[in-house]
Each structure stands twice: as structure tokens, then as C-alpha cells.
Amino acid sequence: MKIVVVGATGTIGKAIVAKLEQEHTVIMASRKGADVAVDMTSPASIQAMYEQVGKIDALVVAAGAAYFGPLTTMTPENNEQSIDGKLKGQMNLVLLGLEYLNDGGSFTLVTGIMMDDPIKQGASAAMVNGGIRAFVKTAAIEMPRGIRINSVSPNVLQESWDKYADFFVGFNPVPAERVAQAFVKSILGGQTGQNYEVY
């Protein structure tokens, strides 16, 4: 299979690539330092990425910036960061990628635990995670040519625990390898419209 991993240079992205690269052709995509450059906030950049890589069997997203901060001081501009970076970015990767995905291919997007298990300062991030889950569930019934679409909802990562422990008080972090396995299930399995929780 020919698989594009957006966010391939991040912690989850690297773990996904490690699981796939032995048996599949993996094209790493990121803002910088990857096989192909892509800015998820720019539809033109997404289009250029697809034109560069051509036809593919799967598109995986392990990226998307979201705003974290107190609700009482959050501005509409802060919230737009989450909408542009994670919600619209992932939706545009699907909308613009449909014509590049081979019959029976798949999209796998990323959500996150705080939409179901809220944390302080996480309202904006939780909102876009929920939006992606709803988009995946609904888009699945309209996907053409046997194309599947799922999302993965990871807990906070063990590898990022030092950075995020204060946000996720009382949570049990999970290894990136376990999160990557859920992406593999989505890519190589047969299910569609699912949100795989890795808690």
C-alpha cells in the first residue's frame, strides 16, 4: 500500500511510520523535515501535497494544533486556531483527497480523549475533537468507491507526560505505540465510521 502520514515527524506519527514502513510505501508529510511539505491550515498547500504524491491507498493524520487556555480568557481568535489547525485542516485533507484515494482506500483522522473526559483549559480542543468524530461518523455513509474513514482518540501520551501532566491530572498516559496500533487497525481493517479510543 502507498500511505501518506500527515504529522509523520511527531511522536504519534513516528510510531505509525515505524509500524507501516516495513511492508508498505510510506510517504511522510509535515510542515518541515519530511518527504513532502504540507500546511494543514492552507487548502492550497494540501492540494499541492496531493498533486505531488499522486494516487494513494491511505491518508493518515497524526497532527493538528489546538488551543489550550482558560475559558474565561479565551478569545474568538484563540478558538479559530483550533478550528483552522485541527478541524478544518483534517476535513480539507479528506475533501481534497477523495479524488486521489484509490478504490477501497481509507482516511484515518485524529481526535482526543478530552472530548469525552474533560480537562480544564481544554474546551476549544475538545470542541474540534468532537467535530471530527461527528464528521467521520457522517462522512462514512457517503464515501464513494468503497473508501473508508475512521478516527483515533488517544489519551495523553507517556512520551509527552512531562510536558502535559499538569493538564491531565489523574489520567493514565498511554504509549505512542498503542496509539499507532489503532491507526494500523483503521488502515488495514474493514471498519468505517469508527472512533477508536486508546485509553
Side-chain angles (χ1 to χ4, degrees):
M1 293 176 67
K2 182 180 176 184
I3 303 167
V4 172
V5 179
V6 176
T9 58
T11 305
I12 294 174
K14 288 177 181 175
I16 295 168
V17 171
K19 284 190 173 291
L20 296 172
E21 63 184 354
Q22 299 302 317
E23 297 181 19
H24 304 279
T25 300
V26 178
I27 300 168
M28 298 188 292
S30 187
R31 281 181 182 267
K32 55 187 177 183
D35 300 322
V36 60
V38 64
D39 177 358
M40 285 175 54
T41 66
S42 165
S45 177
I46 292 171
Q47 184 67 41
M49 177 197 75
Y50 279 123
E51 289 174 2
Q52 183 176 344
V53 301
K55 292 287 188 177
I56 59 174
D57 298 299
L59 184 283
V60 177
V61 187
Y67 177 78
F68 286 83
L71 183 70
T72 52
T73 58
M74 189 191 309
T75 66
E77 292 75 20
N78 293 146
N79 195 44
E80 286 291 331
Q81 294 176 28
S82 300
I83 294 169
D84 288 342
K86 193 165 187 181
L87 180 60
K88 284 169 60 178
Q90 293 194 83
M91 287 180 68
N92 286 338
L93 281 162
V94 173
L95 299 176
L96 296 172
L98 275 171
E99 64 180 289
Y100 293 93
L101 216 63
N102 290 325
D103 293 0
S106 70
F107 293 102
T108 307
L109 309 184
V110 64
T111 58
I113 191 173
M114 55 275 211
M115 65 180 171
D116 295 310
D117 199 349
I119 63 169
K120 291 179 179 178
Q121 303 189 47
S124 184
M127 177 270 299
V128 294
N129 287 341
I132 289 296
R133 176 169 60 185
F135 172 69
V136 164
K137 186 175 183 179
T138 306
I141 67 172
E142 292 192 66
M143 284 285 146
R145 301 181 286 107
I147 293 171
R148 299 177 301 103
I149 182 169
N150 298 298
S151 55
V152 174
S153 179
N155 195 346
V156 62
L157 300 178
Q158 287 178 356
E159 291 85 348
S160 307
W161 187 240
D162 289 348
K163 185 177 180 182
Y164 293 111
D166 291 343
F167 285 99
F168 292 90
V169 176
F171 284 66
N172 292 309
V174 298
E177 183 276 332
R178 270 190 58 207
V179 176
Q181 192 62 35
F183 280 89
V184 172
K185 179 180 182 178
S186 174
I187 297 162
L188 303 181
Q191 297 179 358
T192 190
Q194 303 299 307
N195 180 64
Y196 300 118
E197 299 176 354
V198 188
Y199 300 167

